[in-house]
Amino acid sequence: MADIIEETRLVVNELLEEANLKKGDILVVGCSSSEILGTKIGTGSSEETGRKVFDAVYGIVHPQGIFLAAQCCEHLNRALVVEEACAEKYNYEPVCVVPWVHGGGSFGSAAYRGFEHPVVVEHIKAHAGIDIGDTLIGMHLRDVAVPVRIARKTIGEAHIVCARTRPKLIGGERARYSL
């Protein structure tokens, strides 16, 4: 378990270096504890693993003022657990559900128990994301997602994909961009 915690911290810190998130931005994380432990997604959920990964991520982003959005599993239509302050800032409408290990996943349920004032929302537009175990977070990123290649490719046995977002480039041949 210590290796999983350390691997998670390395992934989060490397993504944050690349993504340049600011206070008030949103980091979405989808996490399959089953995949981390080497089984097929949804077949070996571990509350302990979900809690440890949540604690590692939250322990890094919360002090920086970055909102964490914890994606739930497909049984809750990949709804997200966020802090109430995040939902209020971005005008996300809360829904009535309480995630648990077999209906929301171990990571989502850990977030619901770990946040100060958790709410569940159906949709967000995050500034960056980490997909741990092919949980399909793309629907929760802003429109222009850019892959972020990081040194670490796995947490435990789970495949890792990271992304940041950028504003859309609009205009034609005369357009200039500040990026």
Side-chain angles (χ1 to χ4, degrees):
M1 190 57 65
D3 287 345
I4 291 168
I5 294 166
E6 183 57 24
E7 291 167 0
T8 302
R9 288 180 180 144
L10 289 170
V11 167
V12 172
N13 284 321
E14 189 172 353
L15 175 62
L16 292 180
E17 281 182 35
E18 295 292 325
N20 297 314
L21 297 183
K22 304 179 304 285
K23 183 177 180 179
D25 284 352
I26 302 172
L27 172 68
V28 63
V29 176
C31 173
S32 169
S33 62
S34 300
E35 291 281 335
I36 289 173
L37 298 176
T39 62
K40 181 181 170 191
I41 193 168
T43 63
S45 296
S46 163
E47 288 186 73
E48 178 187 12
T49 302
R51 185 177 60 254
K52 296 291 186 181
V53 172
F54 168 78
D55 289 344
V57 176
Y58 192 62
I60 294 169
V61 300
H62 182 67
Q64 296 183 45
I66 297 168
F67 289 118
L68 172 59
Q71 179 180 271
C72 294
C73 72
E74 66 179 295
H75 297 100
L76 293 186
N77 299 325
R78 304 208 191 291
L80 305 118
V81 182
V82 297
E83 287 281 8
E84 184 177 47
C86 177
E88 289 174 356
K89 176 177 178 161
Y90 290 99
N91 201 29
Y92 297 144
E93 184 176 351
V95 294
C96 292
V97 69
V98 176
W100 68 290
V101 70
H102 298 294
S106 61
F107 185 74
S109 61
Y112 196 85
R113 291 188 312 273
F115 283 151
E116 294 173 23
H117 301 284
V119 296
V120 178
V121 298
E122 290 185 282
H123 307 285
I124 65 166
K125 290 291 185 179
H127 301 86
I130 303 172
D131 187 319
I132 305 169
D134 303 317
T135 61
L136 305 175
I137 63 163
M139 70 179 97
H140 299 305
L141 293 169
R142 294 189 311 170
D143 289 343
V144 183
V146 178
V148 175
R149 304 288 184 228
I150 60 172
R152 176 152 295 286
K153 304 299 182 208
T154 61
I155 293 177
E157 299 297 316
H159 176 245
I160 302 297
V161 175
C162 294
R164 65 175 178 81
T165 62
R166 65 160 174 76
K168 294 177 183 181
L169 301 177
I170 63 167
E173 63 186 45
R174 294 183 184 200
R176 292 185 181 170
Y177 306 107
S178 61
L179 300 177

